[in-house]
Amino acid sequence: VIAFSLFLFSRNANSKTYFALVFRDFVFCLLMTLLILQGIYFSVFILPFFSVPEKVGGYSSFFFLIVFSINSFVYCLFHHRTEDSSGKAFMVIVLYILLPVFVLLLAALYAYLIKSLVSHFLFAADTDFQSNLFLSIATASFIAFYFLLREFENLPPVRFFYRFGAFFMIPLLMIQIPALLIRIHAYGFTALRVESVLYIIFSLVTISLTLIKNGKFCIYSPLFLSVLILFASVSPFNCENLARKNQISRMSAVLEKYGAFDKTARRPRDYDHEKFSEAISEKDRK
């Protein structure tokens, strides 16, 4: 719903500032809600002037986190999305603080990847998920900045980002894809790995769109994201079901190979445990 709404409201908004305004107002409403809640908790539960039932805290949290924060943000969404500027504070935080941090992260990530490739560590099947996680953070940050910085595209650093940024992301994707596929081949799918595959599809499509007609079609990325989220969560092919079926098929294939699984009945059959233990290879045992 959130991803689809981002796309829906973008149709009648200032294309250069829309996503920046949404991000700014979201952060503002979140901080405002958290500060109000902190003030209430401090006044009611910490100061020893009077006692209040614990359920009051739950009701307060529900009201401000659900009712107050969402309605505040919706107000901002309807009344601010056509503004021409996201404000100087947003410019300082995103352009002069977060963007340089992203560049440093990218430099550190490239150094790590070069070291990993040289030492043949990255493509080891038993590598933990950290490399995939950091690569995903890098591509997600690039996509976020691509939508947030449109207002400042005439500045030289931002112009360079829009012109060449995608070319720095493509090598990361070309490393992330085989690294994840090797891990899936070795251990099969889990729900998290299915999600990773879907996210890589989303990031690959979105980053590719940035190279076509100056990113004219990137506006459809939130719509594509909403479709992927529905597929991953409520469809019969959701992440849990795909991972479960994959793991069951991998285990049943190994059991069938050694005569310990009845494929027709789809269940294990009686077998000699000692012979099975002697016959099974170390790879199949793992």
Side-chain angles (χ1 to χ4, degrees):
V1 171
I2 292 171
F4 177 73
S5 298
L6 278 175
F7 166 76
L8 186 66
F9 287 109
S10 69
R11 312 307 294 169
N12 186 26
N14 187 324
S15 60
K16 289 191 175 183
T17 60
Y18 168 67
F19 288 98
L21 292 170
V22 169
F23 179 77
R24 182 200 68 183
D25 292 337
F26 169 77
V27 173
F28 173 75
C29 292
L30 179 63
L31 288 175
M32 181 169 58
T33 302
L34 293 177
L35 286 172
I36 292 173
L37 274 178
Q38 185 141 358
I40 291 174
Y41 274 85
F42 179 79
S43 302
V44 175
F45 295 103
I46 297 180
L47 295 178
F49 299 142
F50 49 86
S51 60
V52 176
E54 289 187 3
K55 65 174 66 175
V56 173
Y59 292 146
S60 300
S61 299
F62 178 83
F63 176 79
F64 283 102
L65 288 173
I66 304 300
V67 180
F68 175 78
S69 62
I70 291 179
N71 281 278
S72 300
F73 177 70
V74 169
Y75 170 82
C76 294
L77 180 63
F78 274 97
H79 289 276
H80 294 172
R81 70 178 189 271
T82 57
E83 292 181 2
D84 295 327
S85 173
S86 57
K88 190 172 182 178
F90 177 86
M91 178 180 178
V92 170
I93 293 173
V94 174
L95 188 58
Y96 298 128
I97 298 177
L98 294 182
L99 185 60
V101 170
F102 168 68
V103 173
L104 288 174
L105 169 66
L106 205 60
L109 192 57
Y110 262 94
Y112 167 75
L113 292 176
I114 292 171
K115 178 184 176 182
S116 299
L117 289 172
V118 170
S119 61
H120 303 287
F121 171 75
L122 181 66
F123 293 97
D126 58 348
T127 303
D128 59 55
F129 75 99
Q130 284 187 345
S131 60
N132 182 50
L133 175 63
F134 289 133
L135 289 166
S136 296
I137 290 174
T139 53
S141 299
F142 169 81
I143 294 170
F145 281 119
Y146 190 88
F147 285 106
L148 294 177
L149 296 176
R150 274 294 177 192
E151 182 182 357
F152 316 110
E153 61 185 359
N154 291 326
L155 297 176
V158 180
R159 196 184 307 127
F160 179 87
F161 170 83
Y162 278 111
R163 182 173 296 180
F164 301 107
F167 296 105
F168 287 94
M169 294 296 109
I170 291 173
L172 300 184
L173 286 169
M174 293 302 100
I175 290 174
Q176 186 180 21
I177 292 171
L180 182 61
L181 290 178
I182 287 171
R183 191 163 178 79
I184 290 171
H185 177 74
Y187 302 115
F189 276 107
T190 62
L192 184 61
R193 289 184 196 130
V194 177
E195 293 165 7
S196 293
V197 169
L198 293 176
Y199 170 72
I200 289 173
I201 292 172
F202 167 74
S203 59
L204 182 61
V205 169
T206 302
I207 292 172
S208 299
L209 289 177
T210 65
L211 300 172
I212 302 173
K213 293 187 176 181
N214 295 322
K216 177 182 178 180
F217 301 108
C218 282
I219 194 64
Y220 295 100
S221 290
L223 181 62
F224 179 53
L225 179 61
S226 69
V227 172
L228 287 179
I229 292 171
L230 286 173
F231 175 84
S233 57
V234 299
S235 77
F237 307 100
N238 64 72
C239 296
E240 292 289 345
N241 285 350
L242 284 177
R244 187 183 300 112
K245 289 178 181 178
N246 176 256
Q247 293 295 339
I248 289 173
S249 66
R250 285 168 61 86
M251 288 186 286
S252 61
V254 171
L255 292 174
E256 185 183 0
K257 180 179 178 181
Y258 296 95
F261 188 81
D262 188 338
K263 189 175 182 180
T264 304
R266 295 171 62 91
R267 54 177 286 180
R269 59 160 54 106
D270 293 332
Y271 60 93
D272 189 316
H273 289 246
E274 290 186 5
K275 289 184 178 180
F276 180 86
S277 182
E278 292 174 0
I280 190 170
S281 68
E282 190 63 25
K283 180 181 178 182
D284 289 339
R285 188 189 301 274
K286 288 182 179 182

